[in-house]
Amino acid sequence: MTVSKDALGFIVTNGGVLSLIQDAGRYGAFNLGLTNGGPTDSLAFYWANKLCGNTINSTAIEISLGGLELIAQVDCVIAITGAPMPLTINGQPKSCWRSFLVKAGDTISLGFTPIGVRCYLAVAGGFTIKPNFGSTATVCRESVGGINGDKLVKNDVLPCQTVSKTDDRLKPLMLAENDQPQYTNEVPLHTVLGYQQAHFSSIEKRLFFSSEYQISQHWDRMGYRLQGRAIRADVDGILSEGICYGAVQIPADGQPIVLLNDRQTIGGYPKIGAVISQDCAKLSQLRQGDKVRFEPISMSQADNMFHLNLRRFSQTKLINYS
Amino acid sequence: MSTLINDSIRLEIAGENSLMLYFSDKGQESSIITPSISSNVHQAEQLIRQNFSTEIIDLISSYASILVVFNLLEIDHHHLRNKLKRLLKQCSNASNKQGRLVELPAYYSLESGMDLQRIAKYAKLTVEQVINLHQAQEYRVYAIGFAPGFAYLGEVDKRIAMARLTTPRLKVPKGAIAIADRQTAVYPAQSPGGWNLIGLCPIDMFNAQAEPTMPVEVGDRVKFVEIDKQQYLELGGNLPNQVSSNDCK
């Protein structure tokens, strides 16, 4: 990406563990082999944008674990949502899940979250980043999106709009505590049976749905490898085929892998089905040692849950806290 | 919930917003790689692209399948299933339409193809024979995935088919032409990989700045044409630092 010298916004003074520019994700480029990217916890991402008065696809930052530090060059409105990373502005503690004004020269710091993994920092108007293949979503493995296809590093500049004194968005908003998602160490994963489910006997399916799995040390934006009761398919591999978001593949060792935003587009392991999107978002807030269980649901139930969830999101009102 | 669309297309659920179309030879539940199945996949993909706009977000075609990702705000799976069923009934008699022919220059050498000698030895052929067999074949682009621009090409002559390395190399150079079983491919960028390396191609298989981004698409035909080192360099190819078999850790 090239930023003109006079583009102002935020300067990164510490990129933290893994901070990535993300919009809602890259769609329509699977035929080139490009994956989706996008926020792993889309609900928290949408809330961050909504608090800033943005469309939900606006470009924000996904911060994993913590450590990001920025200096504002302009006056602007920001909001931070997701895993509870301790937030300070010029050293003063601030609350997440609300929008507020930061002034040029302010230092925004995120500490490390005790629970959950990822939080989102949105800015009114979104960060002005040039899209790659229709999206600003960063996928480091593919070197696309964000700034030079990479995670944020010191001295990166993230341009954004300045708010004027009369801007509507100066009205500080918050999401009521009761409406804020809670982050835990255990989540149920509602799973639609599909793909190669016929390659799993009813006993294997029952074991799969009645066992508890732990997040292994291998978890990232590409996928979460789980540990627990091994599940056997009656085939080792299949002819390589497309992999959808949330697909649960079972390699020869029987340990499930749930594939997320940065998954490879094509693969050859048998898949028992796919976890629904709202639970993939929750899964992506877990880390090594946390626990999950799979619960079977029908496609129609999944459809209902999707629409109910969407309705809940659009009907929940933000509160003016000034 | 499995739906038969016709003798050779079956529809399955994949996930919350995706359905999977599986293609086979008439009546046969096999998953073999054939040009005729691939033609059906290609034809179906074209039909879907022409007949849907906002309801379908993305498609991934492979050897014998198409993953259809749909927009839950626009359509539900029942409705989409019915629409696909109606649309794809037309596919039952796919003509074996030939895709575009794309020629890819190939610099085969022991220097650029560290596994040539091993393949030759295993196949009881000379290195020249391996090279000639590789470029004699016209390949079909069966799938694109794994990495941006990575095209799965098939099928390599049986005599030079070679299993993947037991331990993949940590670094396969950009442009490496490689064989895995009866598939061949060009690595679009430097990456880890377990395929057997036989040469280098100077053409970018993926260039975000170029239009089109990739020289090939699924359904195209590819032929490798041998060039020498000089031509390889003139076409913009780079000689990677020697990749030795010691890199196979």
Side-chain angles (χ1 to χ4, degrees):
Chain A
M1 192 205 64
T2 46
V3 178
S4 65
K5 284 211 169 56
D6 53 358
L8 294 177
F10 288 87
I11 297 179
V12 177
T13 48
N14 187 340
V17 180
L18 177 67
S19 303
L20 300 167
I21 295 288
Q22 296 292 350
D23 62 10
R26 186 169 285 104
Y27 296 92
F30 281 161
N31 60 325
L32 304 174
L34 289 167
T35 192
N36 286 145
T40 60
D41 183 351
S42 46
L43 184 65
F45 170 83
Y46 293 158
W47 276 122
N49 271 322
K50 200 162 165 177
L51 282 161
C52 290
N54 296 342
T55 59
I56 57 169
N57 187 34
S58 298
T59 298
I61 310 172
E62 176 180 280
I63 302 124
S64 293
L65 298 171
L68 179 71
E69 191 178 274
L70 307 167
I71 296 178
Q73 296 173 299
V74 295
D75 296 355
C76 56
V77 169
I78 67 168
I80 290 154
T81 61
M85 285 179 202
L87 164 68
T88 60
I89 309 286
N90 300 328
Q92 299 298 310
K94 286 272 185 181
S95 297
C96 293
W97 300 96
R98 51 179 77 196
S99 71
F100 51 85
L101 177 72
V102 291
K103 296 232 149 119
D106 284 354
T107 298
I108 299 137
S109 283
L110 286 163
F112 293 87
T113 178
I115 193 160
V117 176
R118 301 159 219 278
C119 84
Y120 296 88
L121 187 157
V123 60
F127 291 102
T128 321
I129 303 288
K130 198 175 153 219
N132 249 184
F133 300 97
S135 163
T136 60
T138 314
V139 180
C140 299
R141 189 182 74 245
E142 298 176 347
S143 300
V144 297
I147 296 174
N148 303 319
D150 213 346
K151 63 180 187 178
L152 296 183
V153 292
K154 195 176 173 180
N155 295 329
D156 278 344
V157 176
L158 314 175
C160 68
Q161 297 166 11
T162 307
V163 288
S164 69
K165 290 199 169 67
T166 55
D167 200 306
D168 257 5
R169 293 175 295 197
L170 284 173
K171 191 172 71 178
L173 297 172
M174 67 175 284
L175 180 62
E177 209 160 317
N178 279 342
D179 292 325
Q180 293 174 15
Q182 297 302 309
Y183 297 93
T184 61
N185 298 113
E186 282 187 54
V187 294
L189 302 175
H190 294 94
T191 304
V192 177
L193 284 161
Y195 273 125
Q196 285 80 43
Q197 61 153 315
H199 287 296
F200 297 88
S201 69
S202 53
I203 291 172
E204 293 296 328
K205 279 183 204 163
R206 197 169 286 189
L207 284 173
F208 176 70
F209 287 115
S210 61
S211 305
E212 185 175 77
Y213 289 91
Q214 279 201 337
I215 312 299
S216 77
Q217 58 177 320
H218 302 289
W219 54 273
D220 59 20
R221 290 178 43 88
M222 193 168 176
Y224 272 56
R225 288 178 186 241
L226 307 179
Q227 279 172 335
R229 171 91 72 163
I231 301 300
R232 304 271 167 236
D234 64 11
V235 286
D236 280 343
I238 51 160
L239 200 53
S240 294
E241 63 178 25
I243 303 175
C244 73
Y245 178 57
V248 184
Q249 68 181 23
I250 312 283
D253 66 6
Q255 303 294 316
I257 305 172
V258 185
L259 292 160
L260 299 178
N261 305 60
D262 290 1
R263 70 199 175 281
Q264 68 280 29
T265 55
I266 286 183
Y269 286 121
K271 295 173 283 303
I272 196 165
V275 175
I276 63 172
S277 56
Q278 67 182 85
D279 290 347
C280 285
K282 290 176 188 161
L283 173 65
S284 80
Q285 291 286 10
L286 301 186
R287 46 175 108 170
Q288 185 176 358
D290 290 349
K291 291 172 184 149
V292 295
R293 278 176 179 281
F294 293 93
E295 280 178 29
I297 55 167
S298 69
M299 193 74 158
S300 300
Q301 286 172 309
D303 207 28
N304 287 344
M305 288 172 83
F306 176 86
H307 288 285
L308 279 171
N309 218 33
L310 191 72
R311 198 175 161 86
R312 193 173 302 138
F313 173 74
S314 55
Q315 288 188 338
T316 303
K317 296 278 180 282
L318 293 170
I319 303 166
N320 185 341
Y321 70 89
S322 59
Chain B
M1 192 162 40
S2 176
T3 306
L4 283 179
I5 288 183
N6 61 32
D7 286 353
S8 51
I9 309 178
R10 181 167 52 91
L11 208 159
E12 296 274 357
I13 283 169
E16 170 191 84
N17 70 341
S18 28
L19 294 173
M20 192 66 153
L21 292 161
Y22 286 111
F23 296 73
S24 61
D25 272 334
K26 276 206 163 67
Q28 281 197 336
E29 244 338 275
S30 62
S31 55
I32 40 163
I33 300 170
T34 73
S36 76
I37 293 176
S38 180
S39 286
N40 290 352
V41 170
H42 189 56
Q43 189 202 21
E45 185 188 337
Q46 301 299 320
L47 267 176
I48 296 170
R49 287 195 192 279
Q50 284 155 17
N51 285 276
F52 289 94
S53 52
T54 54
E55 302 105 313
I56 289 181
I57 298 172
D58 222 333
L59 298 172
I60 305 176
S61 300
S62 189
Y63 292 97
S65 63
I66 303 176
L67 181 75
V68 181
V69 183
F70 58 95
N71 184 348
L72 279 168
L73 301 179
E74 300 261 344
I75 198 164
D76 65 80
H77 67 106
H78 289 295
H79 198 176
L80 179 62
R81 187 185 288 269
N82 289 336
K83 275 189 147 182
L84 284 171
K85 211 171 156 177
R86 273 200 302 276
L87 178 68
L88 297 178
K89 283 222 190 286
Q90 306 169 36
C91 274
S92 51
N93 294 313
S95 63
N96 206 338
K97 219 175 91 200
Q98 298 273 346
R100 278 184 316 154
L101 178 67
V102 179
E103 289 193 343
L104 292 177
Y107 165 45
Y108 301 101
S109 77
L110 296 178
E111 168 191 43
S112 62
M114 344 12 242
D115 299 318
L116 263 177
Q117 207 121 45
R118 202 163 41 81
I119 297 174
K121 200 173 158 199
Y122 180 81
K124 300 191 175 66
L125 297 168
T126 65
V127 165
E128 269 63 48
Q129 285 171 317
V130 174
I131 293 170
N132 288 336
L133 284 170
H134 186 260
Q135 59 171 334
Q137 203 83 355
E138 193 177 280
Y139 301 102
R140 188 181 179 93
V141 182
Y142 279 103
I144 289 168
F146 169 66
F150 191 98
Y152 292 83
L153 308 173
E155 286 189 297
V156 167
D157 189 290
K158 267 196 192 112
R159 285 167 285 178
I160 57 168
M162 192 78 198
R164 287 171 179 79
L165 303 178
T166 327
T167 311
R169 287 187 170 89
L170 295 175
K171 275 185 197 169
V172 172
K174 178 187 172 187
I177 302 170
I179 291 176
D181 303 323
R182 295 195 64 190
Q183 306 172 101
T184 185
V186 178
Y187 278 81
Q190 179 182 294
S191 73
W195 291 32
N196 303 281
L197 312 184
I198 60 167
L200 287 166
C201 172
I203 305 293
D204 276 337
M205 295 305 285
F206 183 80
N207 179 350
Q209 269 70 51
E211 184 54 51
T213 308
M214 293 180 47
V216 298
E217 55 183 66
V218 172
D220 283 349
R221 295 169 297 143
V222 170
K223 209 158 168 9
F224 289 96
V225 180
E226 186 165 12
I227 54 170
D228 61 24
K229 188 173 182 174
Q230 188 61 32
Q231 290 168 306
Y232 173 73
L233 296 171
E234 280 165 12
L235 286 166
N238 287 316
L239 290 175
N241 297 333
Q242 195 71 37
V243 181
S244 70
S245 33
N246 295 341
D247 269 350
C248 301
K249 290 205 177 84

